[in-house]
Structure formats: structure tokens, C-alpha cells
Amino acid sequence: MDEVRYGEFVAVRRHGDGGAVAELVLDRPKAMNAVSTEMARSIGAACAALAADASVRVVVLSSTHERAFCVGADLKERNSFSDAELVRQRPTTRGAYGGVLELPMPTVAAVHGFALGGGFELALACDVIVADETAVVGLPEVSVGVIPGGGGTQLLPRRVGAARAAELIFTARRVEAAEALSLGLVDSVAPAGEGRARALELAAAMAANSPVGLRAAKRALRLGHGMDLAAGLEIEDAAWRTVAFSGDRAEGVAAFNEKRKPNWPGE
């Protein structure tokens, strides 16, 4: 298993045949992965590298901490900021959350323990959220005088609807795994300690498919969301045209007819 470090607090590990699954690891255990300026910068850098790597088919976002996925912004650091410093930090923070959100390949969050505030927003930026039974999620920002600023006010209603998102954000309440699953805040719940393995297993199943197809399908899903049906179908058609004449499409059809496993060219 290859590992590349991005600063002190972020690592990328490669799994599977050819490293098709990349694991983006939050690794600031002394602070329960609270997102400092340095850590945000590292997340953004890691995402930029992953986005540019055509060999990566799926990304899993995980944590090394035993009791937390990520507890959100580093409030101790924020408490030391002047107003001007907070303004200067904002693009770096947005770069971290936007970096995860804009990854062109499918993304799976492996959540255990606390995923609060910005921590839950990192998970919300992923396409699929796998939690384990220890997971506690929520957006408590209004309880400390701010609002979700890593995409939460936009991503949460897209998952659970406007009214449910409003209730969760306005009450700032924490939601445990079983209720989170029932509300659609997460997509599956594994036994305690097995969320990461489940997420990697899911990622491997995704990565067995065409990398060209995966990226085009994600693009159509993301761009078409919220559009009226006619506009969405045009977006789908444009994405279809990018794969219809690709090497992956030719290989996929040939492999199906020859009853063999595809050897995707990725183009």
C-alpha cells in the first residue's frame, strides 16, 4: 500500500489493482481531525493531485482517529484570529471543502465517531456516506454563532429536503447513526469499527467499472441535479456523447460479447 503525505495531517493511500482506489486520510489525531488552516491547505492540495490523476477511479475519505471522523473547524485556532486573519483564511477553507466536492471521480466517506460541523460537511461533499454504529453527525454551527460554511446549507437540503435540513441546522442537534440512516444523512451503517472496510469494499466495486463511465456519470448526476427534466436530459446526453465513442465503451462492449473481464483503457 503506497502512501503520500500532504503536510503533517493528510495522507493519500492507494489500494487495489493499479491503485484505482485512493484513500484520502485525515490524520490529525491530537485534535480529533479539527480542520486548521494547515490541514485545510493540505486537503486542498491532496484533492488537486487526485483530480489530476487519471489512474484514480474512486476516492474514499477516512480518518485515523479512533473516536472521530472530523470534529469540524479548529476553533482554538479560530479564537486567535483577528477579523482580517479570518477573512484571509476563508479561501483556504473553501479550497478544502470545494476540493472534495469537485473531485471528478466517485467519492465515498467512511464515517465513524464524531462528524460534526465542517467534519460532516466533508462527508456531505462525497457522493456516498458509509457510517458505522459509532457515528454521530450534525451541523452545530449556529450554537457557536456562525453558520455551516463548508457547503452544509446547500448540500444537506439536497440530501434530506429543505425542511429537514432547516430543522437540523437550526437546532444544531447531533444525530446518532441509526437515526442518521433513517433521515438519509448517511447511506448505510456498518457494525462498529467496520465502516472503513465497508467503504473500501464499496469503492472497489465501483472501481471495477469504466473510469470514463464513472466520471461521466458523476458529471451528469451533479450538473443535472436541480434542473428541470428537459435540461437534465440534455446534460445527460452531453455526458453520454463523451463516453459513446471512447475506448472504454469499445472495450466494454467487446468484453461483454467475449464473456471476459474488461481491461479498461481509461480513455
Side-chain angles (χ1 to χ4, degrees):
M1 179 176 62
D2 296 330
E3 178 175 293
V4 177
R5 302 291 304 191
Y6 291 84
E8 185 180 356
F9 304 130
V10 175
V12 170
R13 300 170 181 167
R14 302 295 290 268
H15 302 269
D17 186 21
V21 174
E23 185 181 6
L24 177 57
V25 185
L26 307 178
D27 186 25
R28 193 185 179 204
K30 291 182 180 179
M32 299 180 79
N33 290 330
V35 181
S36 62
T37 304
E38 180 185 348
M39 187 172 179
R41 189 176 293 114
S42 296
I43 292 170
C47 287
L50 290 169
D53 189 339
S55 70
V56 178
R57 299 185 189 177
V58 184
V59 172
V60 172
L61 181 60
S62 69
S63 160
T64 60
H65 198 281
E66 293 182 355
R67 296 189 294 111
F69 174 73
C70 173
V71 294
D74 186 340
L75 297 183
K76 290 183 179 179
E77 180 188 63
R78 292 276 181 92
N79 191 50
S80 71
F81 283 174
S82 66
D83 289 351
E85 287 170 330
L86 185 59
V87 170
R88 284 197 296 270
Q89 188 214 32
R90 181 63 175 161
T92 301
T93 302
R94 291 195 69 184
Y97 296 103
V100 177
L101 183 64
E102 293 167 12
L103 284 169
M105 67 287 289
T107 50
V108 181
V111 174
H112 67 273
F114 297 110
L116 302 172
F120 189 39
E121 287 173 305
L122 286 171
L124 289 171
C126 295
D127 299 303
V128 179
I129 302 175
V130 176
D132 79 2
E133 292 172 336
T134 69
V136 179
V137 305
L139 296 176
E141 284 87 346
V142 297
S143 70
V144 293
V146 292
I147 70 166
T153 65
Q154 305 306 304
L155 295 171
L156 188 59
R158 283 168 167 77
R159 266 192 163 266
V160 300
R164 179 68 68 193
E167 181 261 319
L168 291 166
I169 291 171
F170 296 162
T171 62
R173 72 184 180 92
R174 300 179 179 191
V175 182
E176 295 184 358
E179 184 185 6
L181 180 62
S182 70
L183 296 178
L185 299 174
V186 303
D187 300 302
S188 65
V189 175
E194 296 183 18
R196 175 178 173 271
R198 181 80 60 85
L200 287 169
E201 181 181 350
L202 178 61
M206 295 177 180
N209 298 309
S210 157
V212 171
L214 288 171
R215 292 184 181 219
K218 176 164 179 170
R219 190 162 62 249
L221 283 163
R222 284 286 178 88
L223 293 178
H225 188 92
M227 296 284 188
D228 63 67
L229 180 59
L233 289 173
E234 290 303 314
I235 290 169
E236 180 183 81
D237 185 65
W240 176 86
R241 291 175 186 278
T242 67
V243 300
F245 310 104
S246 68
D248 274 14
R249 180 260 181 187
E251 169 61 12
V253 172
F256 177 83
N257 283 291
E258 295 166 15
K259 296 181 173 58
R260 60 175 174 81
K261 182 180 178 181
N263 183 22
W264 304 114
E267 58 185 22

Short mmCIF file of all heavy atoms in Angstrom, two decimals, residues 4 28 58 191-192 213 224 230 259 262:
data_model
loop_
_atom_site.label_atom_id
_atom_site.label_comp_id
_atom_site.label_asym_id
_atom_site.label_seq_id
_atom_site.Cartn_x
_atom_site.Cartn_y
_atom_site.Cartn_z
N VAL A 4 1.36 8.71 0.27
CA VAL A 4 1.97 10.00 0.01
C VAL A 4 1.40 10.98 1.03
O VAL A 4 0.18 11.05 1.22
CB VAL A 4 1.66 10.49 -1.42
CG1 VAL A 4 2.24 11.89 -1.64
CG2 VAL A 4 2.22 9.52 -2.45
N ARG A 28 -4.96 13.95 11.89
CA ARG A 28 -4.54 14.90 12.94
C ARG A 28 -5.12 14.40 14.27
O ARG A 28 -6.04 15.01 14.84
CB ARG A 28 -5.04 16.30 12.61
CG ARG A 28 -4.39 17.38 13.46
CD ARG A 28 -4.98 18.76 13.22
NE ARG A 28 -4.34 19.74 14.09
CZ ARG A 28 -4.90 20.89 14.45
NH1 ARG A 28 -6.11 21.24 14.01
NH2 ARG A 28 -4.25 21.70 15.25
N VAL A 58 -11.82 5.88 -7.89
CA VAL A 58 -12.71 6.17 -6.77
C VAL A 58 -11.86 6.66 -5.60
O VAL A 58 -10.73 6.18 -5.41
CB VAL A 58 -13.52 4.91 -6.33
CG1 VAL A 58 -14.50 5.26 -5.21
CG2 VAL A 58 -14.25 4.30 -7.51
N PRO A 191 -21.40 -2.34 11.23
CA PRO A 191 -21.08 -2.57 12.64
C PRO A 191 -19.91 -1.69 13.07
O PRO A 191 -19.09 -1.26 12.26
CB PRO A 191 -20.70 -4.06 12.67
CG PRO A 191 -21.42 -4.66 11.51
CD PRO A 191 -21.40 -3.60 10.45
N ALA A 192 -19.84 -1.41 14.36
CA ALA A 192 -18.78 -0.56 14.90
C ALA A 192 -17.41 -1.05 14.46
O ALA A 192 -17.10 -2.24 14.55
CB ALA A 192 -18.86 -0.54 16.42
N GLY A 213 -16.66 6.03 -17.81
CA GLY A 213 -18.08 5.99 -17.49
C GLY A 213 -18.38 6.55 -16.10
O GLY A 213 -19.35 7.28 -15.91
N GLY A 224 -26.89 17.82 -13.42
CA GLY A 224 -28.33 17.72 -13.66
C GLY A 224 -29.19 17.92 -12.45
O GLY A 224 -30.39 18.20 -12.57
N ALA A 230 -36.11 18.49 -18.86
CA ALA A 230 -35.60 18.69 -20.21
C ALA A 230 -34.13 19.10 -20.18
O ALA A 230 -33.30 18.57 -20.94
CB ALA A 230 -36.44 19.74 -20.94
N LYS A 259 -17.41 -12.45 -23.12
CA LYS A 259 -17.60 -13.04 -21.80
C LYS A 259 -16.31 -13.06 -20.98
O LYS A 259 -15.90 -14.06 -20.42
CB LYS A 259 -18.18 -14.46 -21.91
CG LYS A 259 -19.56 -14.51 -22.53
CD LYS A 259 -20.10 -15.94 -22.61
CE LYS A 259 -21.55 -15.97 -23.07
NZ LYS A 259 -21.76 -15.33 -24.40
N PRO A 262 -13.43 -6.75 -18.47
CA PRO A 262 -12.89 -5.65 -19.28
C PRO A 262 -11.49 -5.22 -18.80
O PRO A 262 -11.20 -5.27 -17.62
CB PRO A 262 -13.89 -4.51 -19.08
CG PRO A 262 -15.12 -5.15 -18.54
CD PRO A 262 -14.65 -6.33 -17.76
#
